[in-house]
Amino acid sequence: MKSYNVDAFVLRLRPLGEADRILTLFSRERGKLHAVAKGSRRSGSRFGARLDFFNRVSLTLHRGRSLDIITGAQSAIDRSVWDRLVEPETFALASYVAEVIDALSEPDLAVPELFDMLCELRDAIGAGVPAASLAPAIDLRLLGVLGLAPELDACARCGSALGNRPLAGGRARLSPNSGGLVCRRCNVEDVGALTGDGGATFGVSAAELSMLRALRTAPFTALGDIGDAARLRRLTSAFVEYQLGRRSKALAVANARTARRPAPKAAAR
Ligand SMILES: [Zn+2]
């Protein structure tokens, strides 16, 4: 059979010629895919808005010589998600997630946990969970699903267990370069030994660390307002950007926007 069906999220749309688009999709069945939606840039296209960014769609594709062609698309209209995706913070978060998945996932390799995470994220967006609270939780989940989870329970360098009170007697630090927490001893030994830009470490308080640990498995829809979510996000996004090998474009845009805005009143702790 030259046709097949997938359940997929639209991660990216690029124009192709006068009337077509190339879509980057993340599907349950085959992971990341690129496909052509013919005529989708014309007004009155038969695809309508079904192939818009971050939509979940059931697609029929026909195998092409280089790129597969989308021949059918169905999606349930979900106004609650739609309404929130136009908010700048939510759109920035979805763009960031799409960018990271596109960069870190292999084509044609199914990762069902990643697809499930996208479904959960869409549900949380639709339920009105604040984007700021979702951001650090998503970073940790993305890294976990991709097998890149930061080590938060032991020193990532020497493996010594740090227990539940890792900060007693000294300040532990997080090191994206080392893959997680580094104990005081390893951190001291590394001073001067690290080269390039890979040696940046971040001080982490006991409260922040326990929050990061909890966020690894917290259901997205259960997240309310998190105190100082922006600080947690700086820690988690440093790990994602280390894996990307560069600054995230979507994150840079979001940070520039945040910097221009007056700081919101601190949430009650
Ligand atoms: Zn150590």
Side-chain angles (χ1 to χ4, degrees), residues 155-160 182-187:
C155 173
R157 295 186 74 89
C158 70
S160 63
V182 281
C183 70
R184 198 181 183 192
R185 197 179 56 215
C186 288
N187 191 44

Side-chain angles (χ1 to χ4, degrees), residues 7-264:
D7 189 2
F9 283 84
V10 179
L11 297 187
R12 192 176 173 196
L13 302 113
R14 279 168 291 172
L16 176 70
E18 290 287 299
D20 307 340
R21 284 194 180 95
I22 295 182
L23 271 62
T24 302
L25 305 159
F26 193 85
S27 67
R28 183 191 293 284
E29 296 82 357
R30 296 180 52 183
K32 184 167 71 176
L33 293 174
H34 301 287
V36 175
K38 292 202 170 205
S40 63
R41 292 170 70 201
R42 289 204 184 94
S43 60
S45 155
R46 66 200 172 97
F47 294 122
R50 290 192 288 278
L51 300 181
D52 278 356
F53 172 68
F54 217 63
N55 268 5
R56 181 178 171 182
V57 269
S58 299
L59 296 173
T60 304
L61 296 105
H62 190 80
R63 286 187 209 283
R65 211 168 297 158
S66 56
L67 284 166
D68 295 354
I69 312 291
I70 297 171
T71 54
Q74 287 189 311
S75 73
I77 300 299
D78 191 338
R79 278 248 50 115
S80 58
V81 176
W82 193 271
D83 288 346
R84 289 218 47 224
L85 264 181
V86 298
E87 295 168 5
E89 287 79 7
T90 310
F91 185 79
L93 181 66
S95 302
Y96 168 79
V97 170
E99 179 192 342
V100 172
I101 291 177
D102 188 10
L104 296 182
S105 64
E106 298 290 326
D108 241 326
L109 177 71
V111 187
E113 302 84 2
L114 197 45
F115 187 86
D116 291 342
M117 192 209 81
L118 285 168
C119 296
E120 201 185 325
L121 174 58
R122 251 186 90 83
D123 289 346
I125 287 173
V129 178
S133 302
L134 284 167
I138 282 170
D139 281 341
L140 291 168
R141 196 82 80 77
L142 268 173
L143 291 166
V145 164
L146 293 167
L148 305 167
E151 175 59 73
L152 298 177
D153 300 304
C155 173
R157 295 186 74 89
C158 70
S160 63
L162 298 174
N164 288 324
R165 301 189 62 196
L167 308 181
R171 240 177 122 67
R173 296 185 73 84
L174 280 172
S175 161
N177 181 49
S178 304
L181 280 174
V182 281
C183 70
R184 198 181 183 192
R185 197 179 56 215
C186 288
N187 191 44
V188 169
E189 283 170 4
D190 278 345
V191 171
L194 293 166
T195 55
D197 61 357
T201 62
F202 303 86
V204 60
S205 72
E208 286 164 351
L209 186 57
S210 68
M211 186 57 110
L212 290 173
R213 285 173 170 165
L215 285 177
R216 290 181 294 193
T217 52
F220 296 158
T221 47
L223 295 172
D225 273 323
I226 297 176
D228 211 359
R231 162 77 186 155
L232 293 174
R233 213 270 169 108
R234 274 197 294 281
L235 298 173
T236 58
S237 65
F239 281 86
V240 174
E241 292 191 320
Y242 177 74
Q243 297 299 337
L244 290 174
R246 58 179 167 79
R247 299 298 317 266
S248 153
K249 278 180 244 154
L251 188 60
V253 171
N255 286 345
R257 187 184 299 112
T258 310
R260 282 198 301 272
R261 222 177 29 196

